[in-house]
Amino acid sequence: MSYANGAFAKTQALVIDSNATSRSLMTAQLRELGVGHVRQATRTRDARVILETQPYDIVLCDYYFDGSELSGQDLLDELRREQLLPYSTVFVMVTGEASYAKVAEAAEAALDAYLVKPYTSAALAERLASARHRKHELKDIFEAIDGKDFGKAADLCLARFECRAAYWLYAARIGAELLLRLERHDQARELYEAIIAARTVPWARLGVARTEVASGNLSAARRTLQTLIGELPDQADSYDLMGRVQMDQGEISAALATYRTAATLTPGCLSRQQHCGTLAFYAGERAEALKMLERSVAQGLKSKLFDFHSVALIALMRFDAKDSKGLKYAQDALMMGMDRAPKDRRLQRFDLLLQGLRLLLDRRLADALSLARRFAAMLPDEDFDLESASLLLALWVRMSRQDIELAEMDDMAQRLGLRFCSSKSATEVMASMSEGHEPTTQLLRDAHARVFAVSETAMRHAMRGDARLGVMLLLDQGAQTMNAKLIDMAALVLRRYRDRIADPDVLEPRIQQLQDRYARTSSQGLKAARAAGGMALRG
């Protein structure tokens, strides 16, 4: 049967399979359906680079790859969650009977379609047509998302769920993601629970835990996740979210153990491998950290999914080992990223760190001090985040071990602590970067205590009837320290006690201005590559 003049005539397809016979068969079937252009890839690593740089209408991908730890599902997960696959792309997973159960479960949640070998051209045509029809049916939702009208998109999803219209389960998952993004946590939880009542699916139960995390109820999230992990020990996303909860509660070692499990379940997943390596660094497990992070560089340096923070941590470890060759290896890797994005301020800060380490290793101490001061001068920048602060601290701590007079180090450490040590998690990350330098560690912990004390005092003022005084305290201290938590708390107190404050309309613009400058910067100790268990939404 020929479809050359039909629906597939203008489409482009990518076939990903390590087996030459299977690749040839899938390519022939697509051409029989009339697909205009078909490209082939033998490895998931190559396919990832191809899909990062060029969109395809159809992707046929095998689930299992000989000699590779990265499965087709791992590839799809990373591309979807890093928003590197447009909604228009139909991704079809091809699987043998042995992996059918895993693929079927994934298909219910995020795949467009799946096929079990052997299959016919007619079956392939039916799957492609069905997937494209679903995209057409939900076009209004996707158009609203593309237009960044997330409220409208969420309402359309809810309406489809309520009347059980076509593809209601898929729409419900999109709707729940949108409600979380809109911080309508109660509605998101209600929707996830309604999905569970209608049809129990693991991602909906994980969604309940995500709403609990988003609303700050970490204890409830932990209980939900413990139950879910006990029942479904092979679901890696549950470990991702549990690790985040443990990090938020300052339990770095426990989070590392949890992320180790997630990485073991998906050994080819680049983002989990980097995440686990970074946590190992913070936990002081440097041999493990170096092994995992250098493995990530070897496997994923050319990928858009690669996070160059790994290179910064490798450089620190190679410097500590007085490994000049290893440090050069890290510098060369970073240059690849800077060649692609020379104006990226984050990469520029990594470059400052690596240059400083090189100068210290070469005993050019005066030049190293000058560069470290340039790095420290960036502290007031609006985009200077916890990650930047931790690397700045790491450089100065290593300088303190040299024959250099560092009169300003204590002042800088205190400023870093007052701005970024807002939570137990952030404080533990910063303390780990102080490398046992006790005076610096103590300054960081004192700063955390001071931030906590200011928050407590402001809340006492508000609860005792002087909410304006509480807001002003948070505003003044937030502006002075650039601390995002204090600024956000000022907004929270103003919102909660607005009717008891004489001039809320005067205070609100001041808070908004500070939030725009400082509170939009991530305060997390780790770059969150994706929402655990989440469905990727553009915009």
Side-chain angles (χ1 to χ4, degrees):
M1 185 182 296
S2 176
Y3 293 82
N5 297 317
F8 304 114
K10 296 181 179 180
T11 57
Q12 296 188 75
L14 175 65
V15 172
I16 314 167
D17 197 312
S18 59
N19 184 284
T21 302
S22 295
R23 277 199 319 278
S24 297
L25 178 60
M26 285 191 275
T27 299
Q29 289 173 325
L30 287 167
R31 286 178 176 151
E32 183 182 350
L33 296 177
V35 173
H37 173 73
V38 183
R39 184 174 179 178
Q40 299 181 22
T42 59
R43 302 185 303 173
T44 49
R45 190 185 309 175
D46 298 334
R48 181 162 57 194
V49 174
I50 292 170
L51 290 167
E52 287 169 0
T53 55
Q54 180 180 343
Y56 283 83
D57 303 291
I58 298 167
V59 177
L60 291 189
C61 182
D62 195 36
Y63 182 87
Y64 177 76
F65 286 79
D66 290 328
S68 173
E69 294 178 331
L70 189 71
S71 70
Q73 185 62 47
D74 293 329
L75 173 65
L76 174 62
D77 285 346
E78 294 207 13
L79 292 170
R80 287 272 193 229
R81 287 163 179 162
E82 291 297 324
Q83 304 179 23
L84 295 172
L85 274 183
Y87 285 127
S88 57
T89 298
V90 174
F91 197 109
V92 182
M93 193 74 71
V94 181
T95 179
E97 291 289 344
S99 53
Y100 166 78
K102 288 185 178 181
V103 175
E105 180 182 325
E108 186 176 68
L111 270 175
D112 291 313
Y114 66 95
L115 285 164
V116 179
K117 298 176 183 178
Y119 60 87
T120 64
S121 293
L124 173 59
E126 188 276 329
R127 291 289 199 282
L128 293 175
S130 176
R132 298 182 80 183
H133 179 254
R134 181 174 72 179
K135 291 177 184 292
H136 177 75
E137 282 283 316
L138 303 179
K139 184 179 178 182
D140 55 347
I141 295 172
F142 295 145
E143 286 180 344
I145 293 172
D146 283 338
K148 295 184 172 57
D149 192 347
F150 302 128
K152 177 183 177 181
D155 291 339
L156 289 169
C157 291
L158 289 169
R160 186 171 287 269
F161 173 76
E162 291 296 336
C163 65
R164 297 298 193 273
Y167 307 113
W168 61 269
L169 186 62
Y170 191 86
R173 189 173 196 196
I174 295 172
E177 294 292 332
L178 289 165
L179 291 170
L180 278 172
R181 173 174 293 195
L182 294 166
E183 297 186 358
R184 290 157 59 178
H185 303 144
D186 291 341
Q187 280 185 281
R189 182 187 175 104
E190 288 173 8
L191 181 55
Y192 278 126
E193 290 180 339
I195 295 166
I196 292 169
R199 183 175 175 182
T200 299
V201 285
W203 57 259
R205 295 173 63 192
L206 184 57
V208 171
R210 292 177 62 216
T211 63
E212 291 165 343
V213 171
S215 59
N217 193 351
L218 298 184
S219 297
R222 199 161 187 157
R223 289 193 296 272
T224 301
L225 289 166
Q226 285 170 341
T227 300
L228 188 54
I229 288 171
E231 295 177 6
L232 297 167
D234 293 335
Q235 189 180 42
D237 281 332
S238 297
Y239 294 95
D240 285 340
L241 192 58
M242 177 63 91
R244 177 186 164 185
V245 170
Q246 290 165 330
M247 274 298 295
D248 285 348
Q249 294 181 326
E251 301 173 14
I252 293 180
S253 295
L256 172 59
T258 300
Y259 278 115
R260 280 195 190 112
T261 303
T264 301
L265 288 170
T266 56
C269 179
L270 179 62
S271 61
R272 284 196 179 105
Q273 185 169 277
Q274 289 190 266
H275 206 67
C276 192
T278 302
L279 263 181
F281 183 95
Y282 291 150
E285 302 289 341
R286 297 297 164 83
E288 177 183 0
L290 186 62
K291 179 180 178 181
M292 297 196 77
L293 295 178
E294 290 197 333
R295 181 182 176 197
S296 299
V297 172
Q299 292 182 347
L301 183 60
K302 294 181 180 180
S303 170
K304 288 182 180 179
L305 302 178
F306 182 78
D307 185 351
F308 280 88
H309 184 239
S310 296
V311 173
L313 298 183
I314 289 170
L316 289 170
M317 290 183 282
R318 287 303 184 188
F319 171 84
D320 292 341
K322 295 181 172 56
D323 182 353
S324 181
K325 185 177 179 180
L327 182 56
K328 178 65 166 57
Y329 159 83
Q331 288 180 300
D332 290 344
L334 181 60
M335 281 301 103
M336 289 187 62
M338 296 193 71
D339 287 344
R340 294 200 295 261
K343 296 183 180 180
D344 188 305
R345 287 174 58 82
R346 184 173 178 240
L347 295 183
Q348 289 171 1
R349 287 193 284 264
F350 293 164
D351 187 42
L352 278 177
L353 170 69
L354 268 63
Q355 286 185 52
L357 295 175
R358 169 57 64 188
L359 291 170
L360 285 176
L361 202 60
D362 292 344
R363 300 296 296 170
R364 294 169 58 187
L365 303 185
D367 291 338
L369 179 58
S370 177
L371 183 142
R373 284 172 173 159
R374 278 175 51 204
F375 196 174
M378 296 179 177
L379 204 164
D381 292 354
E382 295 171 16
D383 65 344
F384 198 89
D385 57 6
L386 177 58
E387 174 191 83
S388 305
S390 69
L391 297 178
L392 173 62
L393 186 67
L395 178 59
W396 279 78
V397 165
R398 283 160 179 79
M399 288 178 56
S400 71
R401 298 171 182 162
Q402 313 296 321
D403 300 323
I404 310 177
E405 183 68 32
L406 301 177
E408 67 264 54
M409 183 169 171
D410 285 356
D411 177 67
M412 186 198 64
Q414 185 177 57
R415 290 169 62 202
L416 288 171
L418 289 174
R419 181 170 179 183
F420 295 107
C421 291
S422 299
S423 65
K424 187 175 181 182
S425 171
T427 304
E428 291 305 316
V429 167
M430 290 291 284
S432 74
M433 299 301 275
S434 68
E435 302 287 348
H437 189 265
E438 187 55 37
T440 298
T441 303
Q442 191 58 51
L443 285 169
L444 295 171
R445 298 201 184 282
D446 289 346
H448 179 221
R450 177 176 159 185
V451 171
F452 183 77
V454 170
S455 303
E456 289 280 286
T457 302
M459 288 306 299
R460 279 200 301 272
H461 285 315
M463 295 173 68
R464 292 174 181 174
D466 199 343
R468 190 181 190 283
L469 181 59
V471 172
M472 288 304 301
L473 174 62
L474 292 166
L475 258 178
D476 291 343
Q477 290 294 308
Q480 180 181 327
T481 63
M482 300 175 284
N483 186 287
K485 177 180 178 179
L486 297 180
I487 297 166
D488 282 339
M489 185 169 285
L492 177 65
V493 174
L494 180 64
R495 186 163 57 247
R496 182 177 297 176
Y497 297 98
R498 189 181 186 90
D499 58 343
R500 303 182 193 179
I501 297 174
D503 56 348
D505 293 335
V506 174
L507 297 175
E508 200 164 43
R510 291 182 58 191
I511 295 173
Q512 185 65 51
Q513 184 181 30
L514 287 172
Q515 283 185 316
D516 289 341
R517 290 189 65 187
Y518 301 118
R520 306 304 180 203
T521 300
S522 171
S523 60
Q524 297 301 311
L526 295 167
K527 295 287 180 184
R530 62 192 178 86
M535 194 177 194
L537 299 175
R538 287 184 297 183

